[in-house]
Amino acid sequence: MIRRLISKVFGGSSGGGKPTILPLARHGIRREHIHPCALKVTRTLNDHGYAAFVVGGAVRDLLIEREPKDFDIATDATPEEVRQCFRRSRIIGRRFQIVHVYCGADTIEVTTFRASQGEPEADEDRVTAEDGLILRDNVFGSQTEDAARRDFTVNALYYDPENEEIWDSHGGVADAKKRVLRMIGDPEARYREDPVRMLRAARFAAKLEFRIDPATRAPIAKLAPLLERIPAARLFDEMIKLLLSGHAERGIHQLRAEGLHHGIFPMLDALLDDPARKAFLHAALHDTDERVRNEQSASPAFLIACLLWFDMNAAWHKLQDRGEPAQAALFAAMDQALEQQRDTLAFPRRFDGTIKEIWSLQPRFEQRSGARPYRLLTHPRFRAGYDFLLIRSKGGDAPQELADWWTRFQDANEAERAAMLQPAKTGEAKRRRRRGPKKRADEGTPNLA
Ligand code: ATP
Ligand code: MG
């Protein structure tokens, strides 16, 4: 209550005056730099008498000469009005209602300007908890208000493609040039409203190679525990954005530097403090960043498999030491590792099947005699399992020679493959004869998907 009053009187997070309108010569972003679908959307909205801007990440990325990931639009038309302008469009979301406008294979997100903090309290469309956390936020506002409720100055730039102008209320263009990430308004109040902004600060600093302004950085160490109140699914989404940003390695280090990993990556301390785990994590993140940058696929399940591999492996060995047969121990260890992390890392169960397959393929790569390598090649997750093996070998967790063998075996012709096979171990052959033709415990990885 008192904070609201202060913020009303002194500006606070609802501050931000009229925008400075910067012409092309001051920013260099031409209409042609905007995705044709986004241009079509702003034009159509303009034709219907509405204001429409390209906002957020796209303007920021163009300013620092990077290729934008997507082009979001902000407008003064309500979601319903936007929907009426486009035949192929749909209103989605609850906390933030937005409109998806479909354009060929692309989707453009259109958001209505929202009001900043400090609105009348008894407002049905805005629900704020006692301590300032925004629970629901669908109060429409002006362009100025919309700019003030965004997180960082460089994320609050509005590009008008018709006039090739940037509307800048918070000095975002200057900050982009200085490569500074600065929170709009009072940083502490803004983190309390939405603690995820702390993770976003770490993510953008890593991704953009920006320095976090000292005043923006200062409250994070104290407020990090607020992340415990964020729903698991939202934390998971944010974590995946960081991991699949193409800058995961820097992002993970930034998270830890800010003390933000406890709630979201509790295993990070163990991963970074133990040299063996650190080398593996480095290999995994480096590989993921390369893949993302080369526009190859990188899946959340694969990453989770990497993050939990050591825990799973330790549990597996422990169970075997206690006398459990290899495969039963493997399955118990996989469940154990996944369940233990579920509370904090909070990844959806739909990834479990893939994660378990990637893990349970690993011992099968060691079997290089008879028909087994051929069978492994036809496994639907062979590729993911092999990529995982490569990371293990780069991280010192599997012999380089083993990874090289599989690299060669895949591309070899029939005669070469036959020559590569290793002789069956004598003990193994005897055991087999005794057991009959049944599959060995560690061979029969079922399809777990
Ligand atoms: P990226 O290129 O990684 O997508 P982005 O800046 O577009 O970066 P988004 O998460 O897509 O980031 O969000 C789009 C815009 O919405 C941001 O630029 C910012 O202005 C605003 N925004 C998103 N999340 C928040 C938040 N938690 N608090 C305030 N503003 C936010
Ligand atoms: Mg975006």
Side-chain angles (χ1 to χ4, degrees):
M1 184 64 208
I2 289 176
R3 191 165 39 245
R4 270 168 184 254
L5 200 64
I6 293 175
S7 123
K8 257 188 178 169
V9 176
F10 296 107
S13 58
S14 60
K18 284 215 171 333
T20 307
I21 299 179
L22 305 170
L24 177 63
R26 297 273 303 278
H27 56 75
I29 303 178
R30 294 185 179 280
R31 199 175 297 130
E32 297 79 67
H33 297 148
I34 307 298
H35 191 287
C37 287
L39 268 186
K40 214 165 113 188
V41 171
T42 54
R43 285 229 167 106
T44 307
L45 286 167
N46 289 159
D47 290 346
H48 283 79
Y50 301 113
F53 297 89
V54 176
V55 284
V59 189
R60 176 198 69 214
D61 291 350
L62 286 172
L63 260 183
I64 58 171
E65 290 173 18
R66 291 204 183 195
E67 199 184 327
K69 208 176 67 190
D70 39 34
F71 287 83
D72 298 329
I73 307 295
T75 176
D76 60 354
T78 64
E80 192 47 47
E81 287 167 340
V82 174
R83 223 200 49 73
Q84 281 166 11
C85 293
F86 301 94
R87 206 168 43 82
R88 294 182 63 216
S89 65
R90 199 156 80 91
I91 298 181
I92 60 153
R94 251 170 56 88
R95 185 170 180 266
F96 291 107
Q97 260 194 357
I98 59 175
V99 185
H100 276 177
V101 177
Y102 306 105
C103 167
D106 292 299
T107 303
I108 301 290
E109 274 188 12
V110 183
T111 321
T112 304
F113 294 147
R114 286 191 167 78
S116 45
Q117 294 307 108
E119 292 297 298
E121 268 184 47
D123 193 320
E124 288 211 324
D125 288 326
R126 183 195 296 286
V127 185
T128 310
E130 274 289 281
D131 58 359
L133 184 81
I134 301 174
L135 302 176
R136 186 147 49 86
D137 186 10
N138 256 329
V139 184
F140 301 131
S142 63
Q143 186 272 331
T144 318
E145 287 173 308
D146 191 73
R149 59 157 273 280
R150 290 180 183 269
D151 45 9
F152 304 102
T153 59
V154 290
N155 283 352
L157 297 170
Y158 293 67
Y159 179 73
D160 167 5
E162 270 332 289
N163 300 303
E164 296 184 313
E165 288 167 346
I166 287 183
W167 293 30
D168 179 5
S169 308
H170 301 277
V173 171
D175 282 344
K177 291 202 171 129
K178 284 185 276 180
R179 306 187 87 83
V180 172
L181 196 66
R182 190 193 314 276
M183 181 66 82
I184 296 170
D186 170 43
E188 177 161 348
R190 303 302 311 282
Y191 293 135
R192 286 190 186 278
E193 278 170 16
D194 183 4
V196 168
R197 289 174 185 149
M198 295 187 278
L199 296 176
R200 292 174 59 84
R203 173 161 70 88
F204 287 126
K207 169 177 157 157
L208 305 170
E209 294 179 66
F210 275 25
R211 140 182 100 76
I212 307 179
D213 172 65
T216 297
R217 187 173 186 205
I220 295 181
K222 180 179 91 184
L223 300 181
L226 292 180
L227 286 172
E228 282 164 26
R229 299 189 46 193
I230 300 301
R234 189 156 178 238
L235 282 185
F236 180 78
D237 286 350
E238 197 56 39
M239 176 193 104
I240 290 301
K241 277 193 192 172
L242 182 132
L243 290 175
L244 300 182
S245 65
H247 306 273
E249 221 182 342
R250 246 201 328 264
I252 288 281
H253 284 96
Q254 186 83 41
L255 268 192
R256 198 188 192 213
E258 305 302 335
L260 284 167
H261 60 294
H262 294 295
I264 192 163
F265 280 131
M267 80 287 264
L268 208 58
D269 285 325
L271 279 168
L272 290 175
D273 290 339
D274 168 6
R277 293 183 182 215
K278 189 174 170 177
F280 178 79
L281 183 73
H282 169 79
L285 296 178
H286 189 76
D287 180 76
T288 307
D289 285 346
E290 294 259 290
R291 295 178 78 91
V292 173
R293 289 178 201 184
N294 295 332
E295 296 181 15
Q296 288 170 279
S297 71
S299 84
F302 188 89
L303 274 164
I304 300 167
C306 291
L307 291 169
L308 301 182
W309 167 246
F310 279 87
D311 288 341
M312 195 292 287
N313 226 348
W316 186 25
H317 284 115
K318 210 163 159 188
L319 290 169
Q320 286 185 93
D321 289 347
R322 274 198 237 140
E324 289 254 5
Q327 187 169 17
L330 176 63
F331 276 75
M334 292 197 296
D335 284 335
Q336 206 173 307
L338 291 172
E339 279 319 308
Q340 248 170 27
Q341 290 297 333
R342 181 94 53 202
D343 288 345
T344 37
L345 192 61
F347 48 94
R349 283 182 195 279
R350 66 173 187 279
F351 295 132
D352 286 15
T354 312
I355 297 171
K356 287 183 182 180
E357 279 186 321
I358 292 170
W359 284 343
S360 57
L361 286 177
Q362 296 312 305
R364 291 182 58 183
F365 282 105
E366 284 160 31
Q367 301 167 356
R368 289 182 273 173
S369 60
R372 288 167 180 175
Y374 295 96
R375 275 205 294 274
L376 189 50
L377 277 181
T378 64
H379 192 284
R381 292 270 181 234
F382 171 80
R383 186 74 214 181
Y386 164 74
D387 286 342
F388 197 88
L389 175 70
L390 289 187
I391 287 174
R392 288 178 56 213
S393 75
K394 281 185 211 150
D397 182 60
Q400 183 65 47
E401 171 273 324
L402 181 65
D404 292 343
W405 190 92
W406 278 100
T407 306
R408 277 185 284 121
F409 191 71
Q410 284 174 77
D411 291 334
N413 62 33
E414 271 318 306
E416 288 165 340
R417 279 183 180 172
M420 285 177 75
L421 290 179
Q422 297 184 344
K425 291 186 187 119
T426 45
E428 198 173 302
K430 257 187 225 157
R431 245 194 337 270
R432 270 192 154 192
R433 274 199 298 279
R434 264 206 311 274
R435 279 193 198 160
K438 254 176 80 185
K439 276 184 176 177
R440 264 172 53 87
D442 48 354
E443 181 188 4
T445 311
N447 205 340
L448 295 156

